[in-house]
Amino acid sequence: MFRTNNELMMKARDGGYAVGAFNTNNLEITKAIFRAASEEQSPIILAVSPSAAKYAGMENLVAMARIAAEETGVPVSVHLDHGTEFEHLVHAVRAGFSSIMFDGSKHPYEENVRLTQEAVKLGHAAGISVEGELGRLVGTEDAISVSEREASMTNPDQALDYVERTGIDALAVSIGNAHGWYKGKPQLDFKRLEAIRNKIGDKALLVLHGASGIPDEDIRTAGSLGVTKINIDTEIRDAFKRGITQFIQENPDVIDPRKLLKPAMDEMVKIVGGKIKLFGSAGKATETMAYMAGGVAE
Ligand code: G3H
Ligand code: 13P
Ligand code: ZN
C-alpha cells in the first residue's frame, strides 16, 4: 500500500529532514530508485511526469512501484509530477497514485487558484495529497533579466493567499531554482524561502523542484528552512547515460540489453543513495512506518 506525500513529509518535518522525490520513466530507473531506498532504509516519493506516463504507461509504472514497495518494505508514495491538465490528475487518481501535483504556474494567478481548487477537491475526495505551484520555474536556458527573474519567483504574501484559498497540502516554490542543469552556481533566494515559511507556517508543506546540481550546502540550508520534499530528475538521467555510455565504450560488442542497462542502474543507485543521505532520510523507513501506524500523520 502506498503512503501519501503528506504522511512522509509530515514525518520529515517533525524529524527535520526531507524526502527525495525521484523521477522514473521505466523499469530500470524504478528498480534503481527502490534499490537505493532499500539500501538506505529510507522513505521515498516516486515521481511520474505526464510525459513519463505517456512513455511507459501510468499503470505499468504504478504496478512496478507496487511490487517494488512490497519487496523492499520501505514507505513509498507514488506522485504525479507537474500535472498540467485535469486529465492527468484524474488518470493518476484512477491508476492508484497517492499524491498529485497540479502545476498551474503558467496561468495568471486567479486562474491558477481556481484550477488548483479543483485539483484539491479531486485529490482530497480520493484521499490523497495535492501539491500546487506558485511562481514559475524559469528554465536554465532562458535568457531573462534580473527583474523578470524576480517576477517569476514566489511572492510570500501571495503564497499565503494561495495556500489558504486552495487548501493544498504542499507548495512548490520558485526561489531561483530551475529544472535541468544550472549555468554556473544556482543563486537561491533563501530570504524569500524563509519569508514564505514564516507566512504560511504549518498551513502547507514546502517543496523544492529542480534540485539537480544544487550544491550540498544549499540543499542543507533549504532543509533547515522547512523544505520537506526535494525533486531530482536530471542527475538520475545523467547517471543513466554515464553508466551505459562508459560500458559501451569499454564493451563495444555487447548487445545484451540487460548487460547494457546494469551499469546504468548501478550509477543511478549511487546518485539516489547519495541524495537520500544528503536529505537526511536515510534510516527513517521503520520509524516512518511506526509514525503512520500511530495515526500521527492524519
Ligand atoms: O520537472 C520535470 C521532470 O524533470 C520531468 O520531466 O516531463 O521530461 O518527464 P519530463
Ligand atoms: P531536476 O531535473 O532539475 O532535478 O528537477 C526535477 C524536478 O523538479 C521534477 O519535478
Ligand atoms: Zn519539477
Side-chain angles (χ1 to χ4, degrees), residues 74-97:
V74 293
V76 179
S77 174
V78 177
H79 169 77
L80 177 73
D81 191 32
H82 295 284
T84 51
E85 310 303 324
F86 213 65
E87 295 77 66
H88 300 151
L89 311 184
V90 173
H91 192 171
V93 168
R94 288 185 57 125
F97 279 46

Side-chain angles (χ1 to χ4, degrees), residues 3-291:
R3 315 309 316 199
T4 62
N5 277 17
N6 248 13
E7 290 174 302
L8 303 186
M9 291 169 75
M10 282 168 74
K11 168 74 177 72
R13 186 177 63 189
D14 288 359
Y17 62 90
V19 181
F22 302 105
N23 285 80
T24 187
N25 299 166
N26 65 11
L27 175 71
E28 284 73 20
I29 304 174
T30 306
K31 275 182 167 281
I33 293 168
F34 273 93
R35 203 204 306 165
S38 178
E39 283 174 8
E40 299 301 334
Q41 281 301 296
S42 170
I44 47 156
I45 295 167
L46 191 74
V48 176
S49 70
S51 63
K54 191 168 172 198
Y55 170 77
M58 213 176 240
E59 285 76 11
N60 286 336
L61 293 171
V62 173
M64 286 178 208
R66 194 165 283 130
I67 293 166
E70 271 167 27
E71 280 175 359
T72 58
V74 293
V76 179
S77 174
V78 177
H79 169 77
L80 177 73
D81 191 32
H82 295 284
T84 51
E85 310 303 324
F86 213 65
E87 295 77 66
H88 300 151
L89 311 184
V90 173
H91 192 171
V93 168
R94 288 185 57 125
F97 279 46
S98 50
S99 176
I100 49 175
M101 174 190 189
F102 174 67
D103 178 356
S105 59
K106 68 176 181 204
H107 296 288
Y109 180 65
E110 285 299 328
E111 185 68 353
N112 188 6
V113 169
R114 190 184 67 74
L115 293 169
T116 308
Q117 285 168 340
E118 295 299 313
V120 169
K121 238 188 261 172
L122 172 72
H124 287 181
I128 65 176
S129 307
V130 183
E131 177 180 328
E133 176 164 328
L134 186 61
R136 225 163 29 83
L137 256 63
V138 178
T140 42
E141 70 287 352
D142 296 352
I144 58 161
S145 66
V146 174
S147 60
E148 279 172 324
R149 191 177 118 91
E150 279 270 307
S152 72
M153 291 193 196
T154 309
N155 174 298
D157 291 312
Q158 205 171 48
L160 176 62
D161 185 69
Y162 179 72
V163 164
E164 286 184 334
R165 286 172 64 196
T166 60
I168 47 163
D169 303 297
L171 175 70
V173 294
S174 168
I175 55 163
N177 46 326
H179 291 126
W181 291 125
Y182 290 84
K183 281 205 187 96
K185 189 178 182 299
Q187 302 295 324
L188 299 187
D189 186 346
F190 288 119
K191 280 210 167 64
R192 183 180 296 270
L193 178 60
E194 200 171 2
I196 296 167
R197 170 78 286 156
N198 290 340
K199 277 279 171 192
I200 69 173
D202 287 345
K203 289 178 176 152
L205 298 149
L206 292 179
V207 180
L208 185 69
H209 282 247
S212 292
I214 294 181
D216 290 1
E217 67 269 23
D218 284 358
I219 292 289
R220 286 191 200 98
T221 304
S224 73
L225 293 172
V227 166
T228 52
K229 170 173 174 275
I230 302 181
N231 290 18
I232 298 281
D233 188 3
T234 298
E235 286 194 50
I236 299 174
R237 295 176 172 193
D238 187 62
F240 188 107
K241 183 180 171 191
R242 186 171 58 246
I244 204 164
T245 306
Q246 201 175 320
F247 183 82
I248 291 172
Q249 275 165 0
E250 289 164 7
N251 304 274
D253 297 330
V254 173
I255 61 163
D256 183 337
R258 295 159 299 188
K259 292 190 175 135
L260 297 173
L261 290 167
K262 184 179 178 304
M265 288 171 66
D266 293 342
E267 287 300 311
M268 291 189 286
V269 172
K270 278 188 237 162
I271 288 293
V272 175
K275 295 297 175 189
I276 285 173
K277 288 195 192 89
L278 173 63
F279 301 163
S281 68
K284 306 289 187 191
T286 307
E287 60 190 73
T288 302
M289 286 299 196
Y291 178 92

